[in-house]
């Protein structure tokens, strides 16, 4: 253990002893994530884009798994499968919120609309 006169710096939170610090140019996680490793989103997209053969109206054609899943979900919803209906409505809600995030909400009252207009006027520098 070094004596007090050898230790010319403070050791504490965020200040580890010099002998335990990372060396310059050396990573703290040398093995790390291997190059080319795919995350879950990439793997899921790849799997959903794979083609499968489906038979419709006596004919066969290739569609993506994503398309097959959506078609089956819509068909099951049309047959009054309540679980499928819930999933489908949730997907529609997500799609609507993704495509139109800045749309005005129809649940605003007249008073809410007035407040929003006043705030917008303040941002523009108008008095009101």
């Amino acid at each position: 253990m070094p004596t007090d006169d050898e230790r010319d710096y403070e050791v504490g939170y965020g200040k580890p002893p010099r002998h335990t610090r990372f060396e310059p140019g050396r990573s703290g996680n040398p093995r790390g994530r291997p190059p080319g490793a795919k995350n879950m989103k990439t793997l899921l997209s790849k799997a959903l884009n794979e083609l499968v053969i489906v038979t419709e109206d006596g004919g066969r054609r290739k569609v993506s798994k994503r398309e097959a899943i959506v078609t089956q979900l819509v068909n099951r919803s049309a047959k009054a499968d309540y679980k499928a209906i819930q999933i489908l409505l949730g997907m529609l809600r997500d799609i609507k919120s993704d495509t139109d995030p800045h749309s005005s909400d129809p649940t605003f009252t007249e008073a809410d609309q007035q407040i929003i207009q006043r705030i917008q006027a303040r941002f523009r520098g108008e008095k009101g």
Side-chain angles (χ1 to χ4, degrees):
M1 183 157 163
T3 60
D4 290 336
D5 55 328
E6 289 178 10
R7 203 183 270 171
D8 57 346
Y9 62 94
E10 184 179 347
V11 175
Y13 181 76
K15 301 173 194 165
R18 286 197 177 130
H19 71 278
T20 64
R21 294 181 186 177
F22 293 123
E23 297 170 12
R26 185 170 178 190
S27 171
N29 187 9
R31 291 181 53 186
R33 180 175 151 190
K38 296 177 174 74
N39 61 17
M40 185 61 78
K41 183 178 178 181
T42 305
L43 293 171
L44 183 60
S45 270
K46 183 178 177 185
L48 287 173
N49 289 331
E50 290 177 359
L51 297 177
V52 293
I53 298 173
V54 296
T55 305
E56 282 185 336
D57 301 325
R60 296 172 58 158
R61 65 187 186 110
K62 288 184 178 181
V63 296
S64 68
K65 288 180 182 180
R66 181 185 314 258
E67 186 177 344
I69 290 170
V70 171
T71 303
Q72 287 178 347
L73 182 62
V74 171
N75 290 342
R76 286 181 56 195
S77 297
K79 292 179 182 178
D81 181 343
Y82 293 113
K83 187 67 175 176
I85 292 170
Q86 283 181 325
I87 294 169
L88 184 62
L89 291 176
M91 287 171 62
L92 290 172
R93 228 177 283 121
D94 290 344
I95 290 169
K96 184 179 179 188
S97 67
D98 287 347
T99 58
D100 201 12
H102 299 294
S103 67
S104 61
D105 191 354
T107 59
F108 287 145
T109 64
E110 184 63 31
D112 293 335
Q113 291 292 345
Q114 289 176 354
I115 292 170
I116 290 170
Q117 289 173 353
R118 288 181 190 160
I119 291 171
Q120 288 174 339
R122 282 187 191 172
F123 283 127
R124 288 190 298 260
E126 301 171 2
K127 290 189 178 182

